[in-house]
Every structure is written in C-alpha cells, then in structure tokens.
C-alpha cells in the first residue's frame, strides 16, 4: 500500500501522480474563505466544523495570506466563524469547546499577524464586526470565566488561559491591543484569584494565571483607569495572596535550582581541571552562559504585587519548610532541550516538592530569601540590555521593599534569622566562600550583602550608573529605618565602608571616561552622604561604640581617596560648565569627612613622633581616635535621613513599557496551544458525547 503523508492539511499518496487530497476540515476552512455563507449549502456546517480536529497551521496561514480586498469580501464569514466559536464554548460536547478555543486562538493570531499596521478598530471589525463586538466579547469573556471557575476539565482551564495569553500578547505593544478594552470591561480578575487561592488549581494553572495578571495590569496603566490595577491593590484575602506568592516562589526556586545544577556541571570534569591549571580566566565566561535568560514575566508579577498591594508584603516573610501545593495527575507539559533557563513554568514535580535546602541544616525558606538568591544570580552579569533590565527590576523591587515600614520591621527582626547563601561572582582575587560559614542573621544583612556584592563586582568601563544609584539608595533607605527605630544591627559595616570608598576611588580614576556618559557627582554625593549618615547618627544605630571608632579609622586610613575627591570636585566647581553645581554639592557634603581627616591626622603623626613609631598599628590609631573625640567639631547637616519615595510614573514609565513589550514577545513565542497536544485533548474527551 502506498505511504500516506500529511502536511498542512493535505493528504498525498507518494507513489501516485494524482492531485493531493485535502482533509475535510481544510475543505471547510476553504468554504469559510469563499464569499458565500457556508451554512447556506449545509445547515449543519458549524456543528460539523467544531467536531473536526483543528488544523491551526492551515487556518493561521490562510488568514495571513489574505490581502486587504479579500478580507473585506469575506469579512462576514470571518465574523460568523468568530461568533460560532463563542457559541460553541457553551456546548456540553467538550470536543467542540476544545476546538472552538483553538480556533479562536488561530483567529486572533492570524488576523493580527496579517494586519500589523491596521488600527485596533479595524482588527475588531475584521474579527467580529464592530457593531457586534461588545456583545461577542461579553459572551466570550463570560464563557471563559465560567470554564475557569467551573468544576470541569483541568485541560480546558489550561486551554482557556493559553487563549487569554494569546489574546493579550498578539500585539508587540500591549497597550495598542484595542480588543483588551473588552477584557477590562468584562473582568476575569476574580477567576484568576480563584485559581490562585485553590491549592490544586494553583499547582496546575498558577504560573499562567500570574503572568496573565501581570500583563493585564500593564494595559494602558498610565493612560486610563485599569480595573485590574485597582482590584489588585485592594486584595486582602490571605489564601489568594499566599497562592500568588507560592507561584512566584516556586518559579524563582526552579530557576535557582537549574542555575545551581548547571554551575555544578561546569565545575566538574575537564573544565575544572583546566581552570585550576590556568587560573580563573574562563570562569566569567561560564557564568555568562549560565545567566543568559531570566524569568522577567514572573519578576514583573512580583513587582506589581509588592508595588500595588501592601498586604502582599506579609507574604514575603512567610516561612515555607516545604511547599504544600497538591497536584492532581495531569498531562506533563513537554519542554524542549533548547528552552532558556527560567522561561518556562516550574514542572509539576517542582510545584509539589519541598523547598531546596538553603544550608546543610535544612532550614525554612521564604519568598524574600528565594528572591534575594535569584537577584544574586541575575545581577552578576549586566553586560547586555536584557540582563541589565533584569537586574534593574530586581533593584526596583528591593527599593519598594526597603521603603515599606512592615517589610523593614521583619527585615530587621532579631527573632527571624536565616542563612542566605547568595551567589557570588567568581573573581581572581578572592576565594569562594564556604556555604557552611554563613551565619544566621536578620534578613536585612543579606540585602546589604547583595548591595555590597554588586558595588564591588561592577566597576567597569561600561559602568551601570543607574544600578549603582539604586543600590546606594536602597542602602540609604535601610539605614534611615535603623536610625529612626534605633535598630543596632550586628553587621560587618567595614565591608560596606570599604566597598563605598573603592567606588569613589573608581570614579576618580575614570573621571574623564565616565563624565562623557554620566553625572558621576550625583553618585559621589549619595556615597558621601551615606558616610555623613554614619558620622552624624552612627551612635544611634551602630552596634557598639567600637563600630563608630572603626568608621573613623576607615575614613582616616583611606583619607587619600577623600582628599583626591575634594580636589576634583573643587576644581570642577570653580570652573564654569555643566557640572559646576553638582560638583559644588559634593564639596559641601565633604565638610565633616574632611574635618575628621584634618583633625585626627596631625594627632596621629604627633603620636608616632613622640613614641618613635614609623608605622602605627590599627589599635594604636584607634587609641588616638578615642582620646581625641572631645576636641573634634562637626557641622550638623540637614536632610541626611530624608529620601524621595519610589514612584513608577513618570521616571520608570519608559522602562516598564519596554520591559512589558519584551515579556509579551517572549510569552507569545512560548504560548503554543500544542503544549496541550490535540491528540491528548481529543482522547480525554472522546468518551463524552
């Protein structure tokens, strides 16, 4: 018997010269794309169509191949197809519902793909007819809402979410997708919340639901009142907020796990032998390959939850000894070996597995710890725009957290101590820290460690000024809280002071190069004012009097950096130019640092001369410092503990617009209705008549 091949809806006998035969569903599509109403010659046309297995490739290809005139001629038939798809969603016959959902996706994608330059109103008219659009979309959204909230098949619910993700991402710019106006009017917000609050639904559909919500929140968010923003901001149901946090937690945990596995793979075998022979020159390349792709969609969802809903802050700190997401048996989602790290939802096994141990003692974890570990990975390498944006989003989230009073309270809570094993960039001049040596401390210590790590590891020619500003501002906000609440944090402050001084040294060494692109005086002012915070208020929040002594020791020890900075800003501020004013602000800010240096240096030199010592030890310098505080005069500087609160609009609007565009493109690429195989779906519903 001759072999039969199937491609794009054609049946062809390889040994025959006869014309190819078309599948019945393809013949029916061809009737739709003719001028006449297909139901005239066959009254049961639409009933029969939705019993046929959808040929997505052929249908989308047909829609994309039409020119403008052809679309106008068959607009009535396309409108009718859309109408009957929506009607079929109410059918009891589940195969019809499956086929209708898949056909709708093909319609949305095909029409938009062909008419990218068309207005939103023209697209609506092509799909459903402008005069009927409101009714059609109301019926569609109500049907999807019923399917998502009902007790029906989990596969159907998954398909509904895929269709909604398809609809939301058909345009590159989500805010230009006029059809979403109907999704705003006919909200599915409650359906999304129901999925997140139910343990079983969350395990199977939580990822898609959270990503969908994050995208809908960003529809015309600066141009009009978005009901999804309003509703998300007032959610106070504990199980719903916990569910959202659980989904984000597991997605980030999965990324961290994958990264760690790949890191361990690269540390073994030939690679390890080679690097031990020639040093660590290749390690940076290995790290770069490991952190290429990040999960910005889930990160955006976390941002919107933290930024919009104050109740969500409590979710960040909730401990999870192990995740309690129960999952009913379901069809596994196939993934390809080329899928980038972190772009797919966590597997069912992952959603059902306990939290990976953060240390050998199998301690509990929480969403904030998982996020900090995730941030420590994505912030390692910011050499391209994609990774730079991921790091920026992590820092924006941390900014929102650092400003929140409740978040600050649990960050600094002595009764909530954790070992947080942050990922550190391999560097030639330092050894990798052993995980077992990490002490159990309040979570704010891990945040400060992350900031210090970034400051130390990103001093490069392509200087990420924006990220440095955000890092320093986060540190400042945390210290403002400590000063206000008199929290004496036991932290190795010398690490922070050393990092900040080295940052100033880097700015001085690269003044000419950096000034061509950045206002380095703004960053220098922020750094100097951090030292002013410690000098002016350190006695209220540093852990011990000796910590205050160590601050003075560091300033005196590294006085050359501050002297050079003063010379530089003095030179710039006394010359006419664009940097005159910002440089003069740094000059004024240095007054107390210079007073300390000018007060103690002569006394140290005198002590050395009297005692005939050429090189004083640290203890000897500290002795001089302690005995000469009384004669030191400092100026009280106003506003050191004040900061500008985070506001997305207008400063961050352009960033989020581009970020959402990037996420939308990625989601569109990854949303394939074939992830729920048609054969599996048809088999599942074949017994239903």
């Amino acid at each position: 018997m001759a072999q039969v091949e199937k491609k794009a809806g054609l049946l062809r006998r390889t040994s025959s010269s006869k014309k190819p035969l078309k599948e019945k569903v393809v013949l029916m599509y061809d009737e739709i794309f003719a001028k006449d109403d297909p139901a005239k010659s066959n009254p049961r046309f639409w009933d029969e169509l939705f019993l046929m297995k959808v040929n997505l490739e052929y249908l989308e290809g047909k829609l994309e191949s039409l020119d403008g005139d052809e679309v106008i001629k068959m607009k009535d038939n396309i409108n009718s197809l859309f109408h009957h798809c929506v009607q079929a969603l109410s059918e009891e016959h589940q195969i019809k519902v499956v086929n209708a959902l898949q056909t709708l996706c093909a319609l949305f994608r095909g029409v938009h793909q062909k008419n990218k330059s068309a207005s939103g109103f023209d697209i609506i008219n092509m799909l459903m007819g402008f005069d009927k659009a409101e009714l059609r979309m109301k019926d569609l959204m109500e049907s999807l809402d019923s399917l998502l909230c009902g007790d029906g098949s989990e596969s159907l619910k998954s398909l509904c979410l895929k269709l909604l993700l398809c609809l939301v991402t058909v345009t590159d710019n989500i805010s230009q997708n006029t059809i979403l106006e109907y999704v705003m009017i006919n909200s599915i917000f409650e359906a999304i919340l129901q999925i997140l609050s139910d343990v079983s639904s969350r395990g199977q559909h939580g990822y898609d639901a959270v990503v969908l919500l994050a995208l809908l929140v960003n529809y015309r968010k600066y141009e009009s009142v978005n009901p999804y923003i309003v509703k998300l901001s007032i959610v106070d149901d504990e199980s719903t907020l916990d569910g959202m946090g659980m989904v984000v937690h597991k997605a980030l945990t999965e990324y961290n796990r994958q990264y760690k596995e790949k890191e361990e793979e690269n540390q073994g075998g030939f690679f390890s032998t080679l690097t031990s022979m020639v040093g660590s020159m290749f390690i940076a390349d290995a790290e770069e390959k490991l952190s290429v792709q990040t999960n910005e969609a889930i990160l955006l969802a976390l941002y919107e939850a933290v930024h919009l809903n104050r109740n969500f802050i409590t979710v960040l700190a909730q401990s999870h000894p192990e995740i309690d997401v129960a999952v009913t048996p379901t069809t596994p989602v196939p993934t390809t070996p080329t899928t980038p790290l972190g772009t797919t939802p966590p597997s069912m096994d992952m959603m059902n597995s306990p939290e990976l141990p953060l240390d050998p003692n199998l301690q509990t974890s929480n969403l904030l710890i998982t996020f900090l570990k995730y941030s420590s990975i994505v912030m390692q390498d910011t050499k391209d725009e994609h990774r730079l944006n991921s790091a920026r989003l992590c820092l924006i989230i941390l900014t929102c957290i650092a400003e929140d009073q409740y978040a600050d309270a649990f960050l600094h809570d002595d009764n909530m101590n954790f070992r947080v094993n942050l990922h550190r960039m391999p560097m030639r001049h330092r050894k990798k820290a052993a995980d077992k040596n990490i002490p159990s401390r309040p979570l704010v210590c891990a945040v400060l460690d992350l900031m210090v790590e970034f400051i130390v590891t990103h001093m490069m020619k392509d200087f990420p000024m924006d990220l440095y500003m955000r890092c320093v501002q986060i540190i400042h906000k945390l210290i403002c809280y400590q000063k206000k609440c008199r929290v004496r944090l036991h932290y190795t402050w010398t690490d922070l002071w050393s990092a900040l001084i080295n940052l100033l040294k880097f700015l001085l060494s690269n003044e000419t190069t950096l000034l061509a692109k950045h206002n380095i005086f703004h960053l220098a002012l922020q750094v100097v004012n951090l030292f002013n915070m410690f000098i002016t208020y350190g006695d209220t929040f540093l852990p011990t009097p000796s910590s205050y002594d160590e601050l003075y020791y560091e300033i005196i020890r590294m006085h050359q950096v501050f002297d050079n900075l003063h010379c530089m800003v003095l030179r710039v501020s006394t010359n006419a130019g664009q940097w005159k004013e910002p440089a003069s602000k740094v000059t004024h800010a240095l007054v107390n640092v210079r007073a300390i240096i000018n007060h103690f240096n002569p006394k140290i030199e005198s002590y050395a001369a009297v005692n005939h010592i050429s090189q004083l030890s640290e203890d000897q310098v500290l002795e001089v410092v302690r005995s000469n505080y009384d004669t030191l005069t400092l100026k009280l500087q106003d506003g050191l503990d004040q900061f500008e609160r985070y506001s997305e609009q207008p400063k961050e609007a352009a960033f989020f617009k581009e970020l959402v565009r990037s996420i939308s493109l990625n989601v569109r690429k990854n949303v394939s209705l074939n992830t729920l195989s048609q054969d599996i779906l048809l088999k599942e519903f074949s017994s239903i008549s």
Side-chain angles (χ1 to χ4, degrees):
M1 183 181 288
Q3 183 184 359
V4 178
E5 291 184 355
K6 177 183 173 186
K7 188 177 181 181
L10 301 180
L11 297 177
R12 177 168 63 88
R13 293 183 181 274
T14 55
S15 61
S16 171
S17 60
K18 292 181 181 179
K19 288 184 178 179
L21 299 172
K22 289 187 176 182
E23 292 178 77
K24 184 173 180 182
V25 73
V26 169
L27 292 170
M28 296 182 84
Y29 291 155
D30 288 344
E31 287 187 59
I32 294 170
F33 292 108
K35 287 187 291 183
D36 298 329
D37 179 1
K40 278 185 180 178
S41 57
N42 179 6
R44 290 186 51 78
F45 179 86
W46 298 110
D47 283 333
E48 291 174 8
L49 177 68
F50 294 112
L51 288 171
M52 301 285 173
K53 181 179 172 182
V54 178
N55 190 320
L56 290 167
E57 184 182 355
Y58 186 84
L59 182 55
E60 283 186 50
K62 192 75 175 175
L63 286 163
E64 290 173 27
S65 69
L66 301 175
D67 61 31
D69 292 336
E70 288 175 316
V71 170
I72 293 168
K73 287 177 186 175
M74 57 193 67
K75 173 186 155 306
D76 289 345
N77 282 358
I78 294 173
N79 291 172
S80 188
L81 174 58
F82 189 95
H83 173 48
H84 284 93
C85 281
V86 174
Q87 281 189 322
L89 296 182
S90 304
E91 291 272 2
E92 289 185 12
H93 202 309
Q94 301 289 279
I95 286 179
K96 286 187 176 182
V97 180
V98 170
N99 289 330
L101 287 167
Q102 293 187 322
T103 304
L104 280 167
C105 188
L107 274 171
F108 284 129
R109 287 199 297 217
V111 169
H112 277 90
Q113 190 65 28
K114 175 62 181 176
N115 302 278
K116 287 184 177 179
S117 59
S119 73
F121 298 107
D122 288 338
I123 296 281
I124 290 168
N125 198 34
M126 279 181 235
L127 275 171
M128 57 196 98
F130 201 72
D131 56 333
K132 301 280 179 60
E134 194 170 329
L135 177 62
R136 297 285 181 265
M137 286 302 296
K138 180 175 181 291
D139 290 344
L140 171 60
M141 297 308 295
E142 285 179 355
S143 293
L144 292 175
D145 188 81
S146 291
L147 289 167
L148 287 170
C149 296
D151 297 326
S153 159
E154 297 301 330
S155 298
L156 271 185
K157 290 181 183 181
S158 184
L159 208 49
C160 289
L161 288 168
K162 298 284 190 230
L163 172 62
L164 286 163
L165 285 170
C166 171
L167 169 59
V168 171
T169 60
V170 282
T171 54
D172 292 352
N173 182 346
I174 191 174
S175 294
Q176 291 177 350
N177 186 351
T178 312
I179 296 177
L180 293 187
E181 286 295 332
Y182 300 111
V183 183
M184 297 294 117
I185 297 165
N186 304 286
S187 174
I188 50 155
F189 184 81
E190 285 71 22
I192 293 173
L193 294 198
Q194 184 172 315
I195 288 168
L196 295 175
S197 62
D198 180 76
V199 175
S200 179
S201 290
R202 179 170 71 234
Q204 297 180 73
H205 315 299
Y207 184 89
D208 283 348
V210 161
V211 172
L212 176 63
L213 179 59
L215 290 169
L216 288 172
V217 161
N218 280 277
Y219 174 73
R220 295 185 181 172
K221 69 189 316 189
Y222 310 121
E223 303 158 35
S224 59
V225 177
N226 180 323
Y228 290 84
I229 292 177
V230 176
K231 290 180 178 182
L232 179 57
S233 67
I234 58 175
V235 173
D236 58 2
D237 179 66
E238 192 175 333
S239 63
T240 303
L241 293 171
D242 286 349
M244 189 181 300
M246 196 78 74
V247 172
V248 175
H249 185 199
K250 295 320 297 177
L252 297 183
T253 300
E254 173 73 353
Y255 179 90
N256 294 349
R257 183 187 64 78
Q258 290 178 18
Y259 179 88
K260 190 170 184 180
E261 281 182 1
K262 287 187 175 288
E263 188 180 45
E264 287 169 354
E265 282 175 21
N266 280 354
Q267 286 173 353
F270 174 73
F271 181 83
S272 178
T273 307
L274 184 63
T275 51
S276 64
M277 287 165 59
V278 297
S280 56
M281 64 180 74
F282 301 121
I283 289 181
D285 293 335
E287 291 295 316
E288 188 172 325
K289 289 173 186 173
L290 290 177
S291 58
V292 168
Q293 189 71 37
T294 55
N295 195 333
E296 291 170 324
I298 212 74
L299 213 56
L300 178 67
L302 175 60
Y303 164 75
E304 297 295 358
V306 168
H307 178 232
L308 294 174
N309 192 305
R310 287 212 65 213
N311 299 315
F312 189 79
I313 292 291
T314 62
V315 176
L316 294 173
Q318 286 181 359
S319 295
H320 302 296
E322 59 180 43
I323 299 307
D324 62 342
V325 181
V327 180
T328 54
T330 187
T331 306
V333 178
T335 56
T336 60
T338 55
T339 302
L341 260 181
T343 57
T344 54
S347 66
M348 289 302 140
D349 288 341
M350 188 64 215
M351 292 293 279
N352 213 13
S353 69
E355 165 67 36
L356 288 164
L358 293 167
D359 71 307
N361 298 323
L362 295 173
Q363 68 164 27
T364 57
S365 178
N366 58 40
L367 176 54
L368 182 58
I369 291 174
T370 304
F371 169 66
L372 289 173
K373 292 179 70 179
Y374 178 88
S375 299
S376 72
I377 295 170
V378 302
M379 286 166 60
Q380 284 184 34
D381 186 3
T382 58
K383 287 189 177 70
D384 67 31
E385 196 67 24
H386 178 81
R387 283 168 281 187
L388 189 69
N389 288 339
S390 296
R392 182 177 289 130
L393 186 51
C394 287
L395 289 172
I396 290 174
I397 293 169
L398 283 170
T399 300
C400 294
I401 291 170
E403 285 184 6
D404 187 273
Q405 284 286 101
Y406 180 81
D408 282 328
F410 75 69
L411 280 174
H412 292 83
D413 191 342
D414 261 337
N415 297 313
M416 290 177 61
N417 292 334
F418 295 89
R419 291 185 180 89
V420 184
N421 178 23
L422 298 176
H423 291 262
R424 303 175 84 222
M425 186 184 291
M427 298 179 76
R428 295 184 186 91
H429 63 273
R430 69 178 183 186
K431 293 180 180 179
K432 186 175 180 181
D435 297 353
K436 293 180 182 178
N437 295 335
I438 298 168
S440 187
R441 304 171 296 171
L443 283 172
V444 68
C445 295
V447 179
L448 290 169
D449 283 350
L450 184 63
M451 298 302 98
V452 169
E453 175 68 11
F454 181 85
I455 291 170
V456 168
T457 56
H458 288 76
M459 296 180 210
M460 51 196 179
K461 287 184 180 177
D462 191 9
F463 188 70
M465 173 63 79
D466 175 72
L467 302 191
Y468 269 94
M469 285 298 299
R470 292 180 195 276
C471 271
V472 174
Q473 287 164 0
I474 289 166
I475 295 167
H476 179 235
K477 288 169 183 178
L478 293 172
I479 292 173
C480 286
Y481 175 82
Q482 292 165 23
K483 178 256 176 184
K484 177 184 174 182
C485 298
R486 294 183 173 266
V487 177
R488 295 191 181 276
L489 183 69
H490 288 271
Y491 182 71
T492 49
W493 291 109
T494 49
D495 288 349
L496 173 62
W497 300 330
S498 175
L500 292 172
I501 292 170
N502 283 328
L503 174 56
L504 290 175
K505 191 175 179 182
F506 175 82
L507 295 179
L508 289 166
S509 302
N510 297 274
E511 174 195 348
T512 307
T513 309
L514 292 174
L515 270 178
K517 296 180 180 179
H518 308 291
N519 176 2
I520 62 172
F521 302 105
H522 193 189
L523 178 58
L525 178 64
Q526 296 280 336
V527 172
V528 171
N529 277 339
L530 274 183
F531 279 101
N532 286 330
M533 277 285 290
F534 283 102
I535 293 165
T536 309
Y537 303 116
D539 59 328
T540 66
F541 64 83
L542 286 171
T544 61
S546 63
S547 302
Y548 198 72
D549 302 338
E550 287 166 7
L551 167 67
Y552 278 56
Y553 175 80
E554 278 301 308
I555 292 171
I556 296 162
R557 186 175 71 87
M558 301 301 290
H559 71 89
Q560 194 65 56
V561 175
F562 293 106
D563 291 344
N564 292 345
L565 176 63
H566 181 256
C567 290
M568 190 265 275
V569 293
L570 200 62
R571 165 172 50 81
V572 176
S573 62
T574 51
N575 294 320
Q578 69 178 117
W579 306 120
K580 181 180 175 69
E581 187 181 343
S584 64
K585 288 181 180 178
V586 182
T587 308
H588 295 311
L590 280 166
V591 61
N592 280 343
V593 173
R594 285 182 51 73
I596 291 168
I597 293 167
N598 293 334
H599 176 74
F600 285 106
N601 265 354
K603 291 182 167 45
I604 290 168
E605 289 168 8
S606 172
Y607 181 92
V610 168
N611 293 282
H612 306 289
I613 304 170
S614 59
Q615 190 79 34
L616 268 65
S617 68
E618 182 179 342
D619 288 339
Q620 289 169 327
V621 172
L622 287 170
E623 184 185 331
V624 175
V625 168
R626 291 188 190 103
S627 57
N628 287 280
Y629 275 132
D630 294 346
T631 52
L632 173 65
T633 304
L634 297 174
K635 289 186 177 180
L636 186 63
Q637 295 174 306
D638 294 328
L640 291 175
D641 57 347
Q642 304 297 313
F643 57 81
E644 183 183 354
R645 292 191 68 82
Y646 172 78
S647 175
E648 184 180 316
Q649 172 77 335
K651 287 185 179 179
E652 311 292 351
F655 167 69
F656 278 102
K657 184 179 177 182
E658 285 307 308
L659 180 73
V660 172
R661 179 191 291 267
S662 170
I663 292 169
S664 183
L665 289 168
N666 198 40
V667 171
R668 184 200 309 168
K669 189 170 63 179
N670 285 294
V671 168
S672 168
L673 294 185
N674 291 326
T675 54
L676 279 171
S677 163
Q678 287 179 301
D679 292 331
I680 293 170
L681 282 165
L682 294 174
K683 183 179 179 182
E684 180 179 342
F685 300 121
S686 61
S687 59
I688 304 172
S689 56

